[in-house]
PDB file of all heavy atoms in Angstrom:
ATOM      1  N   ALA A 284    -155.026-148.589   9.713  1.00 96.00           N
ATOM      2  CA  ALA A 284    -156.030-147.953  10.568  1.00 96.00           C
ATOM      3  C   ALA A 284    -157.236-148.879  10.676  1.00 96.00           C
ATOM      4  O   ALA A 284    -157.509-149.687   9.784  1.00 96.00           O
ATOM      5  CB  ALA A 284    -156.455-146.610   9.994  1.00 96.00           C
ATOM      6  N   ILE A 285    -157.958-148.738  11.778  1.00 97.00           N
ATOM      7  CA  ILE A 285    -159.180-149.505  12.024  1.00 97.00           C
ATOM      8  C   ILE A 285    -160.358-148.660  11.556  1.00 97.00           C
ATOM      9  O   ILE A 285    -160.532-147.531  12.026  1.00 97.00           O
ATOM     10  CB  ILE A 285    -159.311-149.833  13.524  1.00 97.00           C
ATOM     11  CG1 ILE A 285    -158.118-150.654  13.997  1.00 97.00           C
ATOM     12  CG2 ILE A 285    -160.623-150.552  13.806  1.00 97.00           C
ATOM     13  CD1 ILE A 285    -158.013-150.787  15.514  1.00 97.00           C
ATOM     14  N   VAL A 286    -161.136-149.180  10.621  1.00 97.00           N
ATOM     15  CA  VAL A 286    -162.275-148.436  10.079  1.00 97.00           C
ATOM     16  C   VAL A 286    -163.532-148.812  10.841  1.00 97.00           C
ATOM     17  O   VAL A 286    -163.868-149.991  10.972  1.00 97.00           O
ATOM     18  CB  VAL A 286    -162.462-148.712   8.568  1.00 97.00           C
ATOM     19  CG1 VAL A 286    -163.681-147.983   8.032  1.00 97.00           C
ATOM     20  CG2 VAL A 286    -161.206-148.300   7.803  1.00 97.00           C
ATOM     21  N   VAL A 287    -164.207-147.777  11.364  1.00 96.00           N
ATOM     22  CA  VAL A 287    -165.439-147.967  12.128  1.00 96.00           C
ATOM     23  C   VAL A 287    -166.496-146.996  11.615  1.00 96.00           C
ATOM     24  O   VAL A 287    -166.180-146.009  10.954  1.00 96.00           O
ATOM     25  CB  VAL A 287    -165.215-147.758  13.642  1.00 96.00           C
ATOM     26  CG1 VAL A 287    -164.218-148.767  14.188  1.00 96.00           C
ATOM     27  CG2 VAL A 287    -164.766-146.343  13.950  1.00 96.00           C
ATOM     28  N   ASN A 288    -167.733-147.295  11.944  1.00 92.00           N
ATOM     29  CA  ASN A 288    -168.847-146.407  11.619  1.00 92.00           C
ATOM     30  C   ASN A 288    -169.554-146.090  12.925  1.00 92.00           C
ATOM     31  O   ASN A 288    -169.976-147.001  13.634  1.00 92.00           O
ATOM     32  CB  ASN A 288    -169.790-147.093  10.626  1.00 92.00           C
ATOM     33  CG  ASN A 288    -170.834-146.150  10.102  1.00 92.00           C
ATOM     34  OD1 ASN A 288    -171.690-145.671  10.830  1.00 92.00           O
ATOM     35  ND2 ASN A 288    -170.758-145.885   8.815  1.00 92.00           N
ATOM     36  N   VAL A 289    -169.646-144.814  13.249  1.00 92.00           N
ATOM     37  CA  VAL A 289    -170.305-144.374  14.469  1.00 92.00           C
ATOM     38  C   VAL A 289    -171.346-143.331  14.098  1.00 92.00           C
ATOM     39  O   VAL A 289    -171.012-142.313  13.479  1.00 92.00           O
ATOM     40  CB  VAL A 289    -169.297-143.797  15.488  1.00 92.00           C
ATOM     41  CG1 VAL A 289    -170.008-143.249  16.725  1.00 92.00           C
ATOM     42  CG2 VAL A 289    -168.273-144.851  15.884  1.00 92.00           C
ATOM     43  N   GLN A 290    -172.594-143.606  14.431  1.00 90.00           N
ATOM     44  CA  GLN A 290    -173.715-142.713  14.172  1.00 90.00           C
ATOM     45  C   GLN A 290    -173.755-142.248  12.717  1.00 90.00           C
ATOM     46  O   GLN A 290    -173.957-141.080  12.422  1.00 90.00           O
ATOM     47  CB  GLN A 290    -173.673-141.528  15.136  1.00 90.00           C
ATOM     48  CG  GLN A 290    -173.796-141.946  16.581  1.00 90.00           C
ATOM     49  CD  GLN A 290    -173.675-140.799  17.549  1.00 90.00           C
ATOM     50  OE1 GLN A 290    -173.501-139.646  17.181  1.00 90.00           O
ATOM     51  NE2 GLN A 290    -173.766-141.123  18.835  1.00 90.00           N
ATOM     52  N   GLY A 291    -173.513-143.187  11.806  1.00 90.00           N
ATOM     53  CA  GLY A 291    -173.621-142.907  10.379  1.00 90.00           C
ATOM     54  C   GLY A 291    -172.408-142.259   9.737  1.00 90.00           C
ATOM     55  O   GLY A 291    -172.434-141.940   8.552  1.00 90.00           O
ATOM     56  N   HIS A 292    -171.344-142.051  10.501  1.00 92.00           N
ATOM     57  CA  HIS A 292    -170.127-141.452   9.960  1.00 92.00           C
ATOM     58  C   HIS A 292    -168.997-142.470  10.019  1.00 92.00           C
ATOM     59  O   HIS A 292    -168.879-143.220  10.979  1.00 92.00           O
ATOM     60  CB  HIS A 292    -169.738-140.202  10.757  1.00 92.00           C
ATOM     61  CG  HIS A 292    -170.797-139.144  10.738  1.00 92.00           C
ATOM     62  ND1 HIS A 292    -171.010-138.317   9.663  1.00 92.00           N
ATOM     63  CD2 HIS A 292    -171.723-138.809  11.667  1.00 92.00           C
ATOM     64  CE1 HIS A 292    -172.007-137.507   9.926  1.00 92.00           C
ATOM     65  NE2 HIS A 292    -172.471-137.784  11.140  1.00 92.00           N
ATOM     66  N   SER A 293    -168.145-142.451   8.990  1.00 94.00           N
ATOM     67  CA  SER A 293    -167.043-143.408   8.910  1.00 94.00           C
ATOM     68  C   SER A 293    -165.739-142.768   9.363  1.00 94.00           C
ATOM     69  O   SER A 293    -165.432-141.628   9.012  1.00 94.00           O
ATOM     70  CB  SER A 293    -166.891-143.915   7.477  1.00 94.00           C
ATOM     71  OG  SER A 293    -168.045-144.625   7.104  1.00 94.00           O
ATOM     72  N   TYR A 294    -164.978-143.536  10.142  1.00 96.00           N
ATOM     73  CA  TYR A 294    -163.726-143.054  10.711  1.00 96.00           C
ATOM     74  C   TYR A 294    -162.626-144.089  10.498  1.00 96.00           C
ATOM     75  O   TYR A 294    -162.884-145.290  10.526  1.00 96.00           O
ATOM     76  CB  TYR A 294    -163.863-142.823  12.224  1.00 96.00           C
ATOM     77  CG  TYR A 294    -164.909-141.803  12.573  1.00 96.00           C
ATOM     78  CD1 TYR A 294    -166.218-142.187  12.831  1.00 96.00           C
ATOM     79  CD2 TYR A 294    -164.591-140.444  12.639  1.00 96.00           C
ATOM     80  CE1 TYR A 294    -167.188-141.246  13.142  1.00 96.00           C
ATOM     81  CE2 TYR A 294    -165.556-139.508  12.954  1.00 96.00           C
ATOM     82  CZ  TYR A 294    -166.851-139.914  13.208  1.00 96.00           C
ATOM     83  OH  TYR A 294    -167.810-138.979  13.515  1.00 96.00           O
ATOM     84  N   ALA A 295    -161.404-143.592  10.322  1.00 96.00           N
ATOM     85  CA  ALA A 295    -160.206-144.437  10.300  1.00 96.00           C
ATOM     86  C   ALA A 295    -159.449-144.111  11.577  1.00 96.00           C
ATOM     87  O   ALA A 295    -159.019-142.972  11.779  1.00 96.00           O
ATOM     88  CB  ALA A 295    -159.358-144.142   9.076  1.00 96.00           C
ATOM     89  N   LEU A 296    -159.330-145.075  12.469  1.00 97.00           N
ATOM     90  CA  LEU A 296    -158.684-144.875  13.760  1.00 97.00           C
ATOM     91  C   LEU A 296    -157.211-145.238  13.669  1.00 97.00           C
ATOM     92  O   LEU A 296    -156.861-146.391  13.413  1.00 97.00           O
ATOM     93  CB  LEU A 296    -159.360-145.727  14.837  1.00 97.00           C
ATOM     94  CG  LEU A 296    -160.862-145.534  15.015  1.00 97.00           C
ATOM     95  CD1 LEU A 296    -161.386-146.476  16.095  1.00 97.00           C
ATOM     96  CD2 LEU A 296    -161.193-144.087  15.342  1.00 97.00           C
ATOM     97  N   ARG A 297    -156.336-144.258  13.876  1.00 96.00           N
ATOM     98  CA  ARG A 297    -154.891-144.496  13.891  1.00 96.00           C
ATOM     99  C   ARG A 297    -154.496-144.897  15.296  1.00 96.00           C
ATOM    100  O   ARG A 297    -154.837-144.222  16.271  1.00 96.00           O
ATOM    101  CB  ARG A 297    -154.123-143.225  13.501  1.00 96.00           C
ATOM    102  CG  ARG A 297    -154.441-142.630  12.151  1.00 96.00           C
ATOM    103  CD  ARG A 297    -153.972-143.405  10.946  1.00 96.00           C
ATOM    104  NE  ARG A 297    -152.623-143.904  10.935  1.00 96.00           N
ATOM    105  CZ  ARG A 297    -151.583-143.270  10.406  1.00 96.00           C
ATOM    106  NH1 ARG A 297    -151.716-142.088   9.882  1.00 96.00           N
ATOM    107  NH2 ARG A 297    -150.397-143.838  10.412  1.00 96.00           N
ATOM    108  N   VAL A 298    -153.781-145.994  15.417  1.00 96.00           N
ATOM    109  CA  VAL A 298    -153.364-146.552  16.695  1.00 96.00           C
ATOM    110  C   VAL A 298    -151.875-146.878  16.632  1.00 96.00           C
ATOM    111  O   VAL A 298    -151.278-146.865  15.562  1.00 96.00           O
ATOM    112  CB  VAL A 298    -154.196-147.813  17.052  1.00 96.00           C
ATOM    113  CG1 VAL A 298    -155.676-147.468  17.218  1.00 96.00           C
ATOM    114  CG2 VAL A 298    -154.029-148.902  16.002  1.00 96.00           C
ATOM    115  N   ASP A 299    -151.296-147.203  17.803  1.00 95.00           N
ATOM    116  CA  ASP A 299    -149.874-147.597  17.834  1.00 95.00           C
ATOM    117  C   ASP A 299    -149.658-148.858  17.004  1.00 95.00           C
ATOM    118  O   ASP A 299    -148.726-148.945  16.223  1.00 95.00           O
ATOM    119  CB  ASP A 299    -149.407-147.903  19.262  1.00 95.00           C
ATOM    120  CG  ASP A 299    -149.628-146.765  20.248  1.00 95.00           C
ATOM    121  OD1 ASP A 299    -150.057-145.675  19.853  1.00 95.00           O
ATOM    122  OD2 ASP A 299    -149.364-146.997  21.440  1.00 95.00           O
ATOM    123  N   SER A 300    -150.523-149.838  17.232  1.00 96.00           N
ATOM    124  CA  SER A 300    -150.422-151.090  16.493  1.00 96.00           C
ATOM    125  C   SER A 300    -151.755-151.828  16.542  1.00 96.00           C
ATOM    126  O   SER A 300    -152.539-151.641  17.460  1.00 96.00           O
ATOM    127  CB  SER A 300    -149.311-151.991  17.051  1.00 96.00           C
ATOM    128  OG  SER A 300    -149.620-152.396  18.369  1.00 96.00           O
ATOM    129  N   ILE A 301    -151.973-152.637  15.532  1.00 96.00           N
ATOM    130  CA  ILE A 301    -153.132-153.521  15.474  1.00 96.00           C
ATOM    131  C   ILE A 301    -152.578-154.918  15.676  1.00 96.00           C
ATOM    132  O   ILE A 301    -151.702-155.358  14.924  1.00 96.00           O
ATOM    133  CB  ILE A 301    -153.875-153.387  14.135  1.00 96.00           C
ATOM    134  CG1 ILE A 301    -154.339-151.944  13.950  1.00 96.00           C
ATOM    135  CG2 ILE A 301    -155.054-154.357  14.076  1.00 96.00           C
ATOM    136  CD1 ILE A 301    -154.821-151.604  12.555  1.00 96.00           C
ATOM    137  N   GLU A 302    -153.059-155.603  16.711  1.00 93.00           N
ATOM    138  CA  GLU A 302    -152.434-156.852  17.113  1.00 93.00           C
ATOM    139  C   GLU A 302    -153.078-158.102  16.540  1.00 93.00           C
ATOM    140  O   GLU A 302    -152.417-158.893  15.896  1.00 93.00           O
ATOM    141  CB  GLU A 302    -152.422-156.950  18.647  1.00 93.00           C
ATOM    142  CG  GLU A 302    -151.587-155.892  19.309  1.00 93.00           C
ATOM    143  CD  GLU A 302    -151.620-155.980  20.817  1.00 93.00           C
ATOM    144  OE1 GLU A 302    -152.420-156.756  21.377  1.00 93.00           O
ATOM    145  OE2 GLU A 302    -150.825-155.263  21.443  1.00 93.00           O
ATOM    146  N   ASP A 303    -154.376-158.291  16.823  1.00 91.00           N
ATOM    147  CA  ASP A 303    -154.979-159.586  16.536  1.00 91.00           C
ATOM    148  C   ASP A 303    -156.490-159.486  16.671  1.00 91.00           C
ATOM    149  O   ASP A 303    -157.025-158.471  17.121  1.00 91.00           O
ATOM    150  CB  ASP A 303    -154.441-160.604  17.551  1.00 91.00           C
ATOM    151  CG  ASP A 303    -154.592-162.050  17.092  1.00 91.00           C
ATOM    152  OD1 ASP A 303    -155.093-162.283  15.980  1.00 91.00           O
ATOM    153  OD2 ASP A 303    -154.214-162.942  17.864  1.00 91.00           O
ATOM    154  N   ILE A 304    -157.147-160.568  16.322  1.00 93.00           N
ATOM    155  CA  ILE A 304    -158.565-160.747  16.625  1.00 93.00           C
ATOM    156  C   ILE A 304    -158.629-161.922  17.582  1.00 93.00           C
ATOM    157  O   ILE A 304    -158.003-162.955  17.354  1.00 93.00           O
ATOM    158  CB  ILE A 304    -159.389-161.041  15.360  1.00 93.00           C
ATOM    159  CG1 ILE A 304    -159.355-159.839  14.431  1.00 93.00           C
ATOM    160  CG2 ILE A 304    -160.822-161.401  15.728  1.00 93.00           C
ATOM    161  CD1 ILE A 304    -160.049-160.049  13.113  1.00 93.00           C
ATOM    162  N   THR A 305    -159.356-161.754  18.666  1.00 90.00           N
ATOM    163  CA  THR A 305    -159.443-162.799  19.681  1.00 90.00           C
ATOM    164  C   THR A 305    -160.842-162.761  20.306  1.00 90.00           C
ATOM    165  O   THR A 305    -161.662-161.938  19.933  1.00 90.00           O
ATOM    166  CB  THR A 305    -158.345-162.618  20.757  1.00 90.00           C
ATOM    167  OG1 THR A 305    -158.320-163.762  21.600  1.00 90.00           O
ATOM    168  CG2 THR A 305    -158.556-161.365  21.579  1.00 90.00           C
ATOM    169  N   THR A 306    -161.080-163.647  21.236  1.00 87.00           N
ATOM    170  CA  THR A 306    -162.342-163.624  21.976  1.00 87.00           C
ATOM    171  C   THR A 306    -162.061-163.247  23.423  1.00 87.00           C
ATOM    172  O   THR A 306    -160.989-163.522  23.955  1.00 87.00           O
ATOM    173  CB  THR A 306    -163.045-165.006  21.963  1.00 87.00           C
ATOM    174  OG1 THR A 306    -162.140-165.980  22.465  1.00 87.00           O
ATOM    175  CG2 THR A 306    -163.487-165.376  20.569  1.00 87.00           C
ATOM    176  N   GLY A 307    -163.052-162.598  24.019  1.00 83.00           N
ATOM    177  CA  GLY A 307    -162.952-162.288  25.431  1.00 83.00           C
ATOM    178  C   GLY A 307    -163.224-163.542  26.229  1.00 83.00           C
ATOM    179  O   GLY A 307    -164.063-164.359  25.850  1.00 83.00           O
ATOM    180  N   SER A 308    -162.505-163.711  27.328  1.00 75.00           N
ATOM    181  CA  SER A 308    -162.726-164.901  28.155  1.00 75.00           C
ATOM    182  C   SER A 308    -163.458-164.558  29.445  1.00 75.00           C
ATOM    183  O   SER A 308    -163.569-165.395  30.329  1.00 75.00           O
ATOM    184  CB  SER A 308    -161.387-165.591  28.457  1.00 75.00           C
ATOM    185  OG  SER A 308    -160.508-164.699  29.101  1.00 75.00           O
ATOM    186  N   SER A 309    -163.953-163.318  29.542  1.00 73.00           N
ATOM    187  CA  SER A 309    -164.709-162.893  30.715  1.00 73.00           C
ATOM    188  C   SER A 309    -165.635-161.750  30.324  1.00 73.00           C
ATOM    189  O   SER A 309    -165.486-161.162  29.257  1.00 73.00           O
ATOM    190  CB  SER A 309    -163.765-162.423  31.828  1.00 73.00           C
ATOM    191  OG  SER A 309    -163.159-161.188  31.473  1.00 73.00           O
ATOM    192  N   GLU A 310    -166.563-161.452  31.197  1.00 75.00           N
ATOM    193  CA  GLU A 310    -167.371-160.253  31.032  1.00 75.00           C
ATOM    194  C   GLU A 310    -166.499-159.061  31.426  1.00 75.00           C
ATOM    195  O   GLU A 310    -165.596-159.202  32.255  1.00 75.00           O
ATOM    196  CB  GLU A 310    -168.618-160.319  31.928  1.00 75.00           C
ATOM    197  CG  GLU A 310    -169.629-161.359  31.495  1.00 75.00           C
ATOM    198  CD  GLU A 310    -170.196-161.105  30.098  1.00 75.00           C
ATOM    199  OE1 GLU A 310    -170.504-159.936  29.778  1.00 75.00           O
ATOM    200  OE2 GLU A 310    -170.308-162.072  29.332  1.00 75.00           O
ATOM    201  N   PRO A 311    -166.761-157.876  30.867  1.00 76.00           N
ATOM    202  CA  PRO A 311    -165.964-156.712  31.273  1.00 76.00           C
ATOM    203  C   PRO A 311    -166.129-156.428  32.765  1.00 76.00           C
ATOM    204  O   PRO A 311    -167.239-156.461  33.287  1.00 76.00           O
ATOM    205  CB  PRO A 311    -166.552-155.573  30.440  1.00 76.00           C
ATOM    206  CG  PRO A 311    -167.278-156.232  29.313  1.00 76.00           C
ATOM    207  CD  PRO A 311    -167.720-157.572  29.820  1.00 76.00           C
ATOM    208  N   ASP A 312    -165.003-156.198  33.441  1.00 70.00           N
ATOM    209  CA  ASP A 312    -164.999-155.848  34.855  1.00 70.00           C
ATOM    210  C   ASP A 312    -164.820-154.349  34.998  1.00 70.00           C
ATOM    211  O   ASP A 312    -164.302-153.676  34.091  1.00 70.00           O
ATOM    212  CB  ASP A 312    -163.834-156.537  35.587  1.00 70.00           C
ATOM    213  CG  ASP A 312    -164.076-158.017  35.818  1.00 70.00           C
ATOM    214  OD1 ASP A 312    -165.247-158.422  35.921  1.00 70.00           O
ATOM    215  OD2 ASP A 312    -163.078-158.765  35.891  1.00 70.00           O
ATOM    216  N   GLN A 313    -165.177-153.857  36.159  1.00 72.00           N
ATOM    217  CA  GLN A 313    -164.977-152.461  36.480  1.00 72.00           C
ATOM    218  C   GLN A 313    -163.481-152.150  36.437  1.00 72.00           C
ATOM    219  O   GLN A 313    -162.647-152.971  36.812  1.00 72.00           O
ATOM    220  CB  GLN A 313    -165.526-152.176  37.874  1.00 72.00           C
ATOM    221  CG  GLN A 313    -165.412-150.741  38.285  1.00 72.00           C
ATOM    222  CD  GLN A 313    -166.004-150.502  39.669  1.00 72.00           C
ATOM    223  OE1 GLN A 313    -166.454-151.424  40.332  1.00 72.00           O
ATOM    224  NE2 GLN A 313    -166.002-149.259  40.097  1.00 72.00           N
ATOM    225  N   ILE A 314    -163.159-150.943  35.986  1.00 68.00           N
ATOM    226  CA  ILE A 314    -161.766-150.509  35.944  1.00 68.00           C
ATOM    227  C   ILE A 314    -161.424-149.940  37.313  1.00 68.00           C
ATOM    228  O   ILE A 314    -162.066-149.005  37.775  1.00 68.00           O
ATOM    229  CB  ILE A 314    -161.543-149.451  34.850  1.00 68.00           C
ATOM    230  CG1 ILE A 314    -161.917-150.033  33.495  1.00 68.00           C
ATOM    231  CG2 ILE A 314    -160.116-148.949  34.862  1.00 68.00           C
ATOM    232  CD1 ILE A 314    -161.973-149.020  32.400  1.00 68.00           C
ATOM    233  N   LEU A 315    -160.441-150.519  37.923  1.00 64.00           N
ATOM    234  CA  LEU A 315    -160.068-150.111  39.277  1.00 64.00           C
ATOM    235  C   LEU A 315    -158.938-149.094  39.238  1.00 64.00           C
ATOM    236  O   LEU A 315    -157.778-149.447  39.326  1.00 64.00           O
ATOM    237  CB  LEU A 315    -159.663-151.332  40.115  1.00 64.00           C
ATOM    238  CG  LEU A 315    -160.732-152.415  40.247  1.00 64.00           C
ATOM    239  CD1 LEU A 315    -160.182-153.627  40.952  1.00 64.00           C
ATOM    240  CD2 LEU A 315    -161.947-151.861  40.976  1.00 64.00           C
ATOM    241  N   GLY A 316    -159.244-147.841  39.069  1.00 65.00           N
ATOM    242  CA  GLY A 316    -158.294-146.730  39.163  1.00 65.00           C
ATOM    243  C   GLY A 316    -156.938-146.957  38.542  1.00 65.00           C
ATOM    244  O   GLY A 316    -156.628-148.005  38.010  1.00 65.00           O
ATOM    245  N   GLY A 317    -156.125-145.933  38.617  1.00 65.00           N
ATOM    246  CA  GLY A 317    -154.758-146.037  38.156  1.00 65.00           C
ATOM    247  C   GLY A 317    -154.549-145.782  36.680  1.00 65.00           C
ATOM    248  O   GLY A 317    -153.429-145.667  36.229  1.00 65.00           O
ATOM    249  N   PHE A 318    -155.614-145.692  35.899  1.00 76.00           N
ATOM    250  CA  PHE A 318    -155.455-145.467  34.466  1.00 76.00           C
ATOM    251  C   PHE A 318    -155.584-143.996  34.096  1.00 76.00           C
ATOM    252  O   PHE A 318    -155.137-143.573  33.056  1.00 76.00           O
ATOM    253  CB  PHE A 318    -156.469-146.291  33.663  1.00 76.00           C
ATOM    254  CG  PHE A 318    -156.155-147.752  33.654  1.00 76.00           C
ATOM    255  CD1 PHE A 318    -156.824-148.622  34.486  1.00 76.00           C
ATOM    256  CD2 PHE A 318    -155.180-148.252  32.822  1.00 76.00           C
ATOM    257  CE1 PHE A 318    -156.531-149.963  34.491  1.00 76.00           C
ATOM    258  CE2 PHE A 318    -154.873-149.598  32.818  1.00 76.00           C
ATOM    259  CZ  PHE A 318    -155.551-150.459  33.657  1.00 76.00           C
ATOM    260  N   GLY A 319    -156.239-143.212  34.930  1.00 81.00           N
ATOM    261  CA  GLY A 319    -156.393-141.786  34.681  1.00 81.00           C
ATOM    262  C   GLY A 319    -157.707-141.462  33.998  1.00 81.00           C
ATOM    263  O   GLY A 319    -158.385-142.336  33.452  1.00 81.00           O
ATOM    264  N   PRO A 320    -158.070-140.185  34.023  1.00 83.00           N
ATOM    265  CA  PRO A 320    -159.362-139.762  33.478  1.00 83.00           C
ATOM    266  C   PRO A 320    -159.486-139.975  31.974  1.00 83.00           C
ATOM    267  O   PRO A 320    -160.584-140.161  31.459  1.00 83.00           O
ATOM    268  CB  PRO A 320    -159.443-138.280  33.845  1.00 83.00           C
ATOM    269  CG  PRO A 320    -158.027-137.851  34.071  1.00 83.00           C
ATOM    270  CD  PRO A 320    -157.311-139.062  34.581  1.00 83.00           C
ATOM    271  N   GLU A 321    -158.355-139.954  31.259  1.00 86.00           N
ATOM    272  CA  GLU A 321    -158.408-140.164  29.806  1.00 86.00           C
ATOM    273  C   GLU A 321    -159.020-141.522  29.490  1.00 86.00           C
ATOM    274  O   GLU A 321    -159.888-141.645  28.633  1.00 86.00           O
ATOM    275  CB  GLU A 321    -157.005-140.102  29.186  1.00 86.00           C
ATOM    276  CG  GLU A 321    -156.235-138.851  29.493  1.00 86.00           C
ATOM    277  CD  GLU A 321    -155.426-138.943  30.792  1.00 86.00           C
ATOM    278  OE1 GLU A 321    -155.491-139.946  31.520  1.00 86.00           O
ATOM    279  OE2 GLU A 321    -154.709-137.968  31.076  1.00 86.00           O
TER     280      GLU A 321
END
């Protein structure tokens, strides 16, 4: 699990898989539909 702290509380995030640590090669772009409200 990925351990994070949000607003003073600690959480263990269960995910399908933890892949790697990498760097972003761009600034975040707007999400262009198709992913759903979730």
Side-chain angles (χ1 to χ4, degrees):
I285 300 168
V286 177
V287 298
N288 189 295
V289 176
Q290 298 177 0
H292 300 283
S293 296
Y294 300 92
L296 304 179
R297 302 289 313 267
V298 297
D299 304 355
S300 65
I301 301 168
E302 296 178 351
D303 200 1
I304 295 176
T305 189
T306 55
S308 58
S309 71
E310 291 298 318
D312 285 332
Q313 182 179 3
I314 300 170
L315 302 174
F318 288 101
E321 305 88 356

